[in-house]
Amino acid sequence: MFRCIYRLTEQEQSDGEHILQNFLGARWVSHEIVSDDLQHAFGQGIDVDFEKTLQFIRNRMGTRGGRGGNGPTLKGMTTTGEQRVNLLPGARVQMAAPILKEVDLPNGQKEVRVTAAIPEQFAWALAQIKAKYPKTQIDEKALLAKANLTEGYINDPIVHKLELGGPELFRGLLKSCFNLLGAAHPERALLPCFNGVRDYIREGAGGAASYTRWYASTDLPNLPRLGPADQHIFIVCRGSSVEGVAQLFGSLVYPFQLTDSYSGPAFTSGYVVDPFRESEPAEMRNPEFDAAAVPVFSEQEDHWNEAVSRCYEGGVAKIMDLHFDRHREDVIQRSFQEVAAAHSGDEFTEEMAAELADLLAKRVLRIERDLGPYKKS
């Protein structure tokens, strides 16, 4: 038997609530903080909204969920050249739709050239051709046998408006912070002094201004880290204030306050997650930390200004730098594996070195590369 920290109702059991949402790479689950019906409501509401605000960043990072599963594919993104593309996890670009180009031949016939990203797009393009030229006989297998694969880069940047605040982000993030309080100190999370933040998370009542502020320093708080893109939450007591700091993807810092009317013994709590799950361990639950390193809530900015803008622009720049660093590492590793797979034996020869150098040069210099005939596999 437990009491739900949001509705204060008694429950016999629950399926489990992630302390930090699964899409952020976390695995810590509590069966004693949230009732199943409310957990379902969260899963259909604020958790979905929270995830949507961070989809673009998570797509760039290519991080998986705590239970596995790939990150989101962003469909129908538009470049400045008005090309529509899909962004696969890791920001790998895929054409959003096939391109059909008709060419008039000297003998009066027409040649239709099809560029497609996946077989389904090719099938759609053939359907369009058959609809326009119903008398044309098309051998799909023969066409695929003649198809050629290429890889390259898009020429124009992708346009996207990134939201770094708002109720969708703040309610979801505060839910994670209050979940941590409930998992680490359940008896305190039930106190009446937390009714305000409880109601805001559950129903959006009262607005976020009482519970969140903006970070304006270009220096990250000196708190425990696992990797370059950690998600973390740290909670401290300062007199009657229970406050803390949350961090997303290693660079976006959000100070928060859960109440300003607490009266009880001091306590702390923390949770750190490496969303890549490459560090060992990949999570730290209630690690030791210096409470003085947590930004003082009352000293943080209560409105967006130039200093805040510089801070969050710098945070996004760090995330982009990390994305490109990991992309370059992936290109090098993938290129080496392709060259090695094309040769037998364990020795790395001069011929292989030349092939690797040529392959890396083409990929780094963004030269379109012919991959040879299409193969169904």
Side-chain angles (χ1 to χ4, degrees):
M1 187 74 70
F2 72 94
R3 291 182 70 190
C4 173
I5 63 173
Y6 293 98
R7 287 186 172 157
L8 305 181
T9 54
E10 290 193 345
Q11 309 289 323
E12 290 189 2
Q13 62 180 13
S14 81
D15 293 334
E17 164 81 0
H18 274 81
I19 306 306
L20 190 64
Q21 284 84 342
N22 169 69
F23 80 86
L24 292 171
R27 292 185 180 176
W28 187 3
V29 173
S30 172
H31 296 271
E32 298 180 343
I33 59 172
V34 182
S35 61
D36 282 344
D37 60 335
L38 187 56
Q39 182 190 345
H40 177 75
F42 284 157
Q44 300 295 315
I46 64 174
D47 286 346
V48 174
D49 294 337
F50 185 30
E51 191 270 340
K52 285 181 179 178
T53 65
L54 297 172
Q55 273 189 348
F56 186 79
I57 293 176
R58 187 182 172 208
N59 173 276
R60 305 295 292 190
M61 294 289 96
T63 55
R64 296 164 62 84
R67 294 191 299 262
N70 292 326
T73 293
L74 305 182
K75 296 183 177 181
M77 305 290 286
T78 305
T79 71
T80 55
E82 298 185 354
Q83 180 182 3
R84 292 180 67 250
V85 298
N86 299 329
L87 285 184
L88 306 180
R92 293 179 294 118
V93 178
Q94 178 191 77
M95 294 168 52
I99 298 173
L100 283 73
K101 183 177 181 181
E102 294 190 5
V103 178
D104 293 322
L105 301 179
N107 60 6
Q109 293 183 324
K110 286 185 179 292
E111 178 181 87
V112 181
R113 298 173 184 173
V114 177
T115 305
I118 52 177
E120 290 79 5
Q121 290 185 2
F122 182 70
W124 181 88
L126 288 186
Q128 298 298 306
I129 295 171
K130 290 177 182 178
K132 187 173 183 179
Y133 304 103
K135 296 182 179 181
T136 301
Q137 299 296 315
I138 299 177
D139 186 334
E140 184 174 342
K141 291 184 178 179
L143 285 177
L144 280 174
K146 295 179 181 179
N148 207 43
L149 289 177
T150 61
E151 69 172 7
Y153 291 84
I154 57 175
N155 295 319
D156 303 306
I158 291 171
V159 179
H160 179 74
K161 182 180 179 181
L162 186 62
E163 298 286 350
L164 298 177
E168 293 82 5
L169 187 148
F170 291 141
R171 284 182 68 198
L173 189 57
L174 281 168
K175 193 198 82 161
S176 296
C177 301
F178 198 59
N179 280 356
L180 176 60
L181 176 63
H185 306 281
E187 72 290 347
R188 294 187 174 94
L190 299 173
L191 294 173
C193 64
F194 295 107
N195 285 346
V197 73
R198 201 187 327 269
D199 292 345
Y200 175 68
I201 295 167
R202 192 180 65 245
E203 301 173 358
S210 299
Y211 312 109
T212 60
R213 290 198 175 180
W214 298 103
Y215 192 64
S217 173
T218 55
D219 297 323
L220 294 174
N222 186 23
L223 292 162
R225 299 181 69 87
L226 289 170
D230 290 349
Q231 333 283 13
H232 77 213
I233 302 169
F234 289 97
I235 301 174
V236 299
C237 287
R238 292 189 170 116
S240 61
S241 176
V242 177
E243 58 190 56
V245 65
Q247 175 183 277
L248 298 173
F249 293 101
S251 302
L252 302 177
V253 178
Y254 294 90
F256 64 86
Q257 184 182 64
L258 300 178
T259 183
D260 61 0
S261 57
Y262 173 73
S263 59
F267 64 90
T268 62
S269 189
Y271 184 30
V272 188
V273 176
D274 170 14
F276 296 117
R277 305 202 71 86
E278 295 172 346
S279 59
E280 183 59 43
E283 295 190 3
M284 290 191 292
R285 302 174 184 180
N286 291 315
E288 293 185 2
F289 65 96
D290 180 8
V294 174
V296 177
F297 182 77
S298 62
E299 297 176 359
Q300 309 309 304
E301 302 294 331
D302 60 4
H303 63 281
W304 189 273
N305 57 39
E306 191 173 326
V308 170
S309 180
R310 284 197 301 269
C311 171
Y312 288 87
E313 286 175 4
V316 172
K318 290 177 183 177
I319 290 171
M320 297 297 289
D321 287 344
L322 177 59
H323 160 69
F324 286 116
D325 287 344
R326 292 179 67 87
H327 172 71
R328 282 189 288 268
E329 291 176 6
D330 177 70
V331 165
I332 293 171
Q333 183 178 18
R334 183 160 48 93
S335 299
F336 182 85
Q337 290 172 345
E338 289 178 14
V339 171
H343 296 267
S344 59
D346 298 328
E347 183 180 357
F348 189 73
T349 65
E350 290 186 10
E351 179 186 3
M352 294 170 66
E355 290 180 12
L356 178 60
D358 179 64
L359 183 53
L360 286 174
K362 287 180 177 179
R363 283 176 168 160
V364 172
L365 296 175
R366 300 170 176 259
I367 299 173
E368 185 174 284
R369 178 170 172 258
D370 191 342
L371 299 179
Y374 167 79
K375 295 180 181 179
K376 192 172 183 180
S377 62

